[in-house]
Amino acid sequence: MITQRPKGTQDWYGSNMHKRTIIEGIARKLCKVYNIKEVITPAFEHTILFQRGVGETTDVVQKEMYTFDDKGNRSITLKPEGTAGTARCYLENGLFAESQPTKLFYFTQAFRYENPQSGRLRQHHQFGIEFFGSASPLAEVELISLLTEFMKELGMKGAKLHINSIGCSNCRKTYNEALLDYLKAHEGELCPTCRERMLKNPLRVIDCKVPSCKVIVKDAPRTVEYLDEECKNHFEELKRLLTELSISFEVDTGIVRGLDYYTKTVFEFVNAEGFTLCGGGRYDNLIHEIDEKQNIPAVGFGFGIERIINELAAEGVELEPEPAVDLYVGILGQEAKASAFMLVQKLRAAGVIVETDYMDRSVKAQMKYANKIGAKHTVIIGADELANNRANVKNMETGEQVEVTLDKIADLFVS
Ligand code: HAM
């Protein structure tokens, strides 16, 4: 038990850790040119934030949150997603009072008590962006363009953009009536949770994961048929902009998303198996829901880092490998140790990736080790090399050796 991590969690090390670093690097580079600033919010928040923001009738709040009372008897929840905390941060720190829009990105862990089948972790990680202050469909377009660029740079080809509009609270009134009528006619076939939630929030039944509910939902009325003029125009404008920008998309009227804060646009990037890699949308009411003095539109997305890694593997995409060790500095004799280590430090300061001996191995064992770790070159530093200020640098692939003065070794690697 002590040596076993909790179910649904993952350790990050080795090649996965390296991939994550590359993914985050590409995301950061893009956010920089889109002028999107990084934000880090706490790993836990007051439970009420998620109950209000994400929604009482969602699966996330009803079934999946890690909630506990802290020692001061406050109800605390480990964040199940990144939007509510970022919106709270935007409000609490008065970011809305600065020139708008406010564009924030984050890398966050998220905790959901889910069934850890493939692709569903209890702690997962997201690259997310939240764009506050713009009601224009161009905000959606900006995020979708960034995502398109992001996937292109990663070499991911299999994700297709699906969009839908679920309207605003005004459209929801007429839609909910129609949906409730339909669901009531099939009440007996719905799961117990849906039988209850259809009265409070029928839209949640649409994305219930229970198979019998999925069957009923297939023929349920669609939100797009109930959009008011403003929401219809917003959706048309979004589609027009995407078309003009040659960003291909498919309208999928089945997408409603699993969190309550969405209004108007919802979108997902879905892989060839129909698995959602990234999800997002507009949430024009969330800010008001958290702070009733404010009324600020917003849009955002979350992209699961683990899903990116899995998708790249499934598509056979290799990310740039970890850089190899440029030079292994072997140490010959105790008396050479300090000077050899000083040389190692000088080379590192010059930007050369250097490894050396910390195990007091024989020179033969050191060379074996250098070979094992894939060092591209080796050099042995002993009393003679130090006295003559010269050493032989060996290319491990060709076996070729060059003799150089110690202060010129770095020049072989960095120009
Ligand atoms: P979400 O669709 O719940 O949306 O999650 C976003 C992404 O996080 C998913 O598309 C998936 O890649 C990843 N993800 C979610 N749950 C898991 C899990 N259990 N295991 C592994 N990966 C997972 C949100 O969280 C919203 N906050 C997105 C958003 C931001 N909407 C507006 N702004």
Side-chain angles (χ1 to χ4, degrees), residues 183-215:
L183 294 174
K184 272 186 176 158
H186 300 273
E187 195 170 346
E189 295 140 84
L190 295 174
C191 76
T193 318
C194 282
R195 253 177 267 156
E196 217 176 277
R197 58 165 55 131
M198 75 176 189
L199 301 169
K200 289 192 202 144
N201 188 357
L203 192 66
R204 286 282 64 90
V205 179
I206 301 280
D207 70 4
C208 179
K209 293 168 194 144
V210 175
S212 57
C213 294
K214 281 187 174 171
V215 175

Side-chain angles (χ1 to χ4, degrees), residues 81 83 112 114 119 121 126 130 257 261-262 277 300-301 304:
E81 56 95 58
T83 309
R112 297 184 191 180
E114 295 206 68
L121 292 155
Q126 290 186 17
E130 310 298 349
R257 311 273 305 128
Y261 46 65
Y262 292 108
L277 303 174
F301 71 80

Side-chain angles (χ1 to χ4, degrees), residues 60 80-84 106 112 114 119-126 128-130 257-259 261-262 268 276-283 299-307:
V60 169
E81 56 95 58
T83 309
Y106 53 80
R112 297 184 191 180
E114 295 206 68
R120 294 206 167 275
L121 292 155
R122 290 189 175 168
Q123 178 180 340
H124 73 274
H125 299 80
Q126 290 186 17
I129 297 184
E130 310 298 349
R257 311 273 305 128
L259 313 160
Y261 46 65
Y262 292 108
E268 293 184 346
T276 303
L277 303 174
C278 168
R282 180 163 280 287
Y283 50 95
V299 54
F301 71 80
F303 206 150
I305 304 282
E306 293 84 353
R307 295 210 181 157

Side-chain angles (χ1 to χ4, degrees), residues 10-14 16-17 20 125 305-306 309:
Q10 200 180 318
D11 295 314
W12 288 91
Y13 66 96
N16 262 7
M17 186 64 236
R20 178 167 160 182
H125 299 80
I305 304 282
E306 293 84 353
I309 292 175

Side-chain angles (χ1 to χ4, degrees), residues 355-370:
E355 196 46 284
T356 189
D357 175 51
Y358 307 96
M359 312 298 283
D360 287 329
R361 289 184 169 115
S362 68
V363 167
K364 193 172 161 208
Q366 287 186 55
M367 289 305 110
K368 211 164 145 191
Y369 173 75

Side-chain angles (χ1 to χ4, degrees), residues 113-239:
Y113 193 77
E114 295 206 68
N115 226 346
Q117 11 158 288
S118 121
R120 294 206 167 275
L121 292 155
R122 290 189 175 168
Q123 178 180 340
H124 73 274
H125 299 80
Q126 290 186 17
F127 160 45
I129 297 184
E130 310 298 349
F131 188 144
F132 299 101
S134 168
S136 163
L138 200 58
E140 278 96 316
V141 169
E142 159 128 326
L143 299 186
I144 289 169
S145 305
L146 183 147
L147 280 165
T148 310
E149 200 57 39
F150 177 58
M151 288 184 280
K152 196 167 137 203
E153 288 211 22
L154 285 169
M156 189 191 285
K157 295 197 178 75
K160 300 271 176 288
L161 173 62
H162 289 195
I163 62 169
N164 188 24
S165 175
I166 59 168
C168 62
S169 39
N170 186 34
C171 324
R172 202 69 58 78
K173 279 184 214 134
T174 43
Y175 175 68
N176 278 354
E177 275 171 30
L179 180 57
L180 186 58
D181 281 350
Y182 173 83
L183 294 174
K184 272 186 176 158
H186 300 273
E187 195 170 346
E189 295 140 84
L190 295 174
C191 76
T193 318
C194 282
R195 253 177 267 156
E196 217 176 277
R197 58 165 55 131
M198 75 176 189
L199 301 169
K200 289 192 202 144
N201 188 357
L203 192 66
R204 286 282 64 90
V205 179
I206 301 280
D207 70 4
C208 179
K209 293 168 194 144
V210 175
S212 57
C213 294
K214 281 187 174 171
V215 175
I216 305 302
V217 159
K218 250 191 8 226
D219 297 323
R222 301 297 187 189
T223 51
V224 277
E225 295 153 13
Y226 294 82
L227 298 182
D228 65 14
E229 210 48 35
E230 191 196 317
C231 292
K232 208 183 276 173
N233 289 343
H234 188 97
F235 197 39
E236 288 310 314
E237 172 77 350
L238 172 64
K239 289 189 281 185

